[in-house]
Amino acid sequence: MHNDQPSPDSTAADNLVARSLASVWHPCTQMQHHAQHGPDAMPLIPVSHGRGAWLYDTGGKRYLDGISSWWVNLFGHANPRINAALKDQLDRLEHAMLSGFTHEPVVTLSEQLAVLTGYALGHCFYASDGASAVEIALKMSFHAWRNAGQGDKQEFVCLRGSYHGETLGALAVTDVALFRDAYGPLLRAAHVTTSPDARGALDGESAADVARRAAADLEALLQQRSGRIAAVIVEPLVQCATGMAMHDPLYLKLVRELCDRHQVHMIADEIAVGCGRSGRFFACEHANVWPDFLCLSKGISGGYLPLSLVMTTDEVYQAFYHVDAARGFLHSHSYTGNPLACRAALATLAIFAEDRVLQRNTERAAAISAALAPLAGHPQVRHFRRQGMIWAFDAVVNDADAARTFSRRFFSAALQNELLLRPIGRTVYLMPPYVLDDGDIAHMAAATLRSFEQTMAEA
């Protein structure tokens, strides 16, 4: 029993799970798996509270949050500095519509983000979730071209294995069959081009060579569809939902050059890889380029409140700046620029600056990589890889049934080892919060190895 855990109450825990199964439709899960028992079931965990990198359930057990609660929690649960900012904001203003009004948190946040891009992206448009940010970028790109007299630019390009959200517009530029196939008849077709995934390297090729091949495929498409493509959307450096496919920064540089040459917008979906996850605040910084649109969500509020935004250039902004209302950007969300969410984001940016987070994460990442070394050299592991504060590896599972159930079986084993990890297919990944101490790192690494070996032994 840990000191900051509540007293175990299995009856209350079972009751909460039963009530949830009866009334809550949980995301991204076959609900029947939650109700099953056995090694490949997905047990529903009734969470009581969180502290730092740990979540605690109502039965008295703790779990190290190795995926930052779906990649959002950067500085730990119940972070006192973010808590204080929100408590202060609660006594000032909880929400006011942003149409025709403004407030200090949204203005200050927009200013600080612009500074972080060196004013290359100086205009922020706000929403609530990542998919909405992608929808905004797609609509804004099309509308900007139309306002510029190029209304034929109505097509979009995404990468093979890309994931950009699950609203219909975002799903149209997503190439993960699990999410897309069921809704295919509802979607507008997009062009899918070669991924620069470094795992696709041929004999003698480097990750940069793979990037060049992928860029050449994109160039051929842009030439073929000249005058019709509005934008290319990419997940810079890591295509997360397809299995943490990582690529060389050269690809981003080549995409930027191709977009400039062919008069096509570049959309950088940094929803998962922004806010320091790649090793720099913005992943595009690794290639020294800026897109025309940059989408942020997840970590920008420290994992506290739904918040997303699209940053764009003055050129795009000016394409809408006109006396004619029909030339304005016709998009809105009720909770756009919510003051509480913006205050959480400002507290998050303050922690980055005051605690030198990016520099300290370099040291933390080295310690985590060293602790994971037994997995990197494991005979049943392929493609052990890292980008910033993201680690991933692919399990070698030859049996089809074992491969199909690997993710669920690993998830269950990890929970037994006080660890929250949720593989994508046969890809195990770690995206922990930026607050792990030496003890947390040792536990995470040992529990990951133990969970992996237990799962592989069941195959």
Side-chain angles (χ1 to χ4, degrees), residues 33-370:
H33 293 157
H34 279 324
Q36 289 174 342
H37 299 282
D40 64 341
M42 295 282 284
L44 197 60
I45 307 301
V47 176
S48 165
H49 65 288
R51 291 290 183 273
W54 296 84
L55 290 169
Y56 297 84
D57 70 20
T58 55
K61 190 171 181 179
R62 68 175 189 167
Y63 310 89
L64 192 143
D65 190 353
I67 57 172
S68 299
S69 289
W70 260 351
W71 322 342
V72 301
N73 187 282
L74 301 189
F75 299 119
H77 300 281
N79 183 284
R81 289 147 81 179
I82 303 177
N83 287 357
L86 288 175
K87 290 172 183 176
D88 177 74
Q89 186 61 40
L90 276 171
D91 288 330
R92 298 172 184 269
L93 177 67
E94 81 297 337
H95 183 66
M97 67 181 191
L98 206 61
S99 178
F101 292 82
T102 194
H103 52 76
E104 185 67 36
V106 76
V107 173
T108 302
L109 178 58
S110 302
E111 291 172 342
Q112 291 189 12
L113 288 169
V115 169
L116 290 174
T117 71
Y119 295 99
L121 303 171
H123 302 275
C124 294
F125 195 101
Y126 289 85
S128 301
D129 59 89
S132 295
V134 170
E135 298 272 347
I136 288 165
L138 297 174
K139 288 176 64 177
M140 202 176 275
S141 172
F142 159 75
H143 201 162
W145 287 124
R146 190 180 73 176
N147 283 352
Q150 299 192 59
D152 288 339
K153 287 181 172 286
Q154 301 177 13
E155 300 173 8
F156 297 97
V157 181
C158 63
L159 303 186
R160 187 162 294 119
S162 59
Y163 175 87
H164 298 288
E166 294 168 50
T167 51
L168 293 181
L171 197 56
V173 289
T174 287
D175 186 51
V176 178
L178 177 65
F179 301 110
R180 180 187 172 95
D181 284 358
Y183 308 103
L186 304 180
L187 305 178
R188 180 184 178 92
H191 300 284
V192 180
T193 191
T194 301
S195 167
D197 181 357
R199 292 174 297 179
L202 304 175
D203 288 345
E205 276 193 327
S206 66
D209 293 328
V210 179
R212 291 187 186 94
R213 277 201 289 113
D217 189 45
L218 174 61
E219 182 174 24
L221 176 62
L222 294 180
Q223 291 172 342
Q224 177 188 354
R225 304 299 298 170
S226 178
R228 295 192 174 275
I229 292 177
V232 177
I233 183 167
V234 299
E235 298 163 86
L237 301 186
V238 188
Q239 292 177 259
C240 293
T242 196
M244 300 298 159
M246 300 183 183
H247 61 256
D248 193 281
L250 174 64
Y251 183 72
L252 302 177
K253 181 175 183 295
L254 295 175
V255 170
R256 178 71 274 178
E257 292 172 357
L258 289 171
C259 287
D260 289 341
R261 190 180 311 152
H262 292 275
Q263 283 194 297
V264 169
H265 290 142
M266 178 181 180
I267 303 173
D269 176 353
E270 296 216 11
I271 290 161
V273 297
C275 301
R277 185 59 70 179
S278 73
R280 300 192 181 182
F281 192 85
F282 297 108
C284 284
E285 293 181 84
H286 291 270
N288 294 313
V289 301
W290 293 110
D292 300 287
F293 304 93
L294 192 150
C295 303
L296 283 181
S297 189
K298 291 191 181 292
I300 188 61
S301 72
Y304 267 68
L305 289 165
L307 178 67
S308 68
L309 60 104
V310 177
M311 303 184 70
T312 192
T313 64
D314 191 58
E315 181 180 3
V316 169
Y317 179 79
Q318 290 300 326
F320 294 89
Y321 198 82
H322 197 273
V323 68
D324 183 359
R327 287 177 60 96
F329 185 55
L330 308 175
H331 191 101
S332 61
H333 291 264
S334 299
Y335 284 93
T336 291
N338 174 261
L340 287 167
C342 290
R343 278 297 299 274
L346 286 168
T348 297
L349 294 185
I351 294 172
F352 269 102
E354 295 165 9
D355 291 4
R356 300 176 62 251
V357 169
L358 296 178
Q359 296 89 331
R360 293 174 69 177
N361 272 358
T362 300
E363 301 167 4
R364 186 174 284 113
I368 294 173
S369 293

